[in-house]
Amino acid sequence: MLAAPCGLIPHTSAPRSAISTPLVTYTLIGVNVAIFLLQFTIGINAVAGDWGMWPVGIAVGGEWWRLVTAAFLHGSFLHIAFNMYVLFAIGPTLERILGHGRYLTLYVLAALGGGVASYVFSDIRTVSVGASGAIFGLMGALVVAGRRLRYD
């Protein structure tokens, strides 16, 4: 057995105990679907106008929560179907690699990052919604974790 250099114990990004059920992924899918059903009942555009990522609301109104709440809203059945399919496809693998807490933290930070990117690059009159920023963040993290762990 090879010793670690300088007496350091090698470590990985994998959690200490194996995760058999990706509870956070399933919970995120459930929350997104429940919010979409509520949004559909009330009115997709009405809810998006009140809670979606709207640069004017943030800059002028100080409504900073829009940076995160928009990630849990969707514009149509097809929109939520694609986002939740990708979350279902890649989420469990990443959650098993990172563990529940780090995976949830990554999802929220990626959602926030997507909101900030939308704020910076969107027309100020545009209201945007969707979990795509969080999904793309998870995709990037999966690539990084896969390369670090030398997965195919």
Side-chain angles (χ1 to χ4, degrees):
M1 184 165 114
L2 297 175
C6 301
L8 297 175
I9 299 171
H11 67 281
T12 66
S13 61
R16 301 243 183 250
S17 61
I19 294 173
S20 60
T21 305
L23 297 174
V24 175
T25 298
Y26 296 158
T27 302
L28 286 170
I29 291 171
V31 167
N32 274 284
V33 169
I35 290 174
F36 178 74
L37 293 175
L38 181 65
Q39 182 184 1
F40 186 75
T41 303
I42 295 171
I44 291 174
N45 291 335
V47 174
D50 291 341
W51 297 95
M53 215 311 294
W54 182 43
V56 172
I58 295 169
V60 177
E63 299 170 350
W64 56 267
W65 61 84
R66 290 177 177 268
L67 293 170
V68 176
T69 57
F72 293 94
L73 304 175
H74 291 83
S76 68
F77 283 108
L78 194 59
H79 186 203
I80 192 166
F82 278 126
N83 277 335
M84 294 306 102
Y85 171 73
V86 175
L87 183 57
F88 179 77
I90 69 170
T93 301
L94 195 54
E95 187 172 352
R96 285 183 182 103
I97 292 171
L98 297 176
H100 300 305
R102 288 188 282 182
Y103 174 73
L104 179 60
T105 301
L106 172 66
Y107 186 89
V108 171
L109 289 176
L112 177 62
V116 169
S118 183
Y119 174 77
V120 171
F121 296 113
S122 294
D123 186 299
I124 62 170
R125 299 164 291 186
T126 303
V127 175
S128 58
V129 295
S132 299
I135 299 296
F136 284 121
L138 294 181
M139 287 178 182
L142 188 60
V143 169
V144 169
R147 289 187 55 86
R148 180 167 183 204
L149 296 172
R150 298 181 183 184
Y151 288 165
D152 186 10

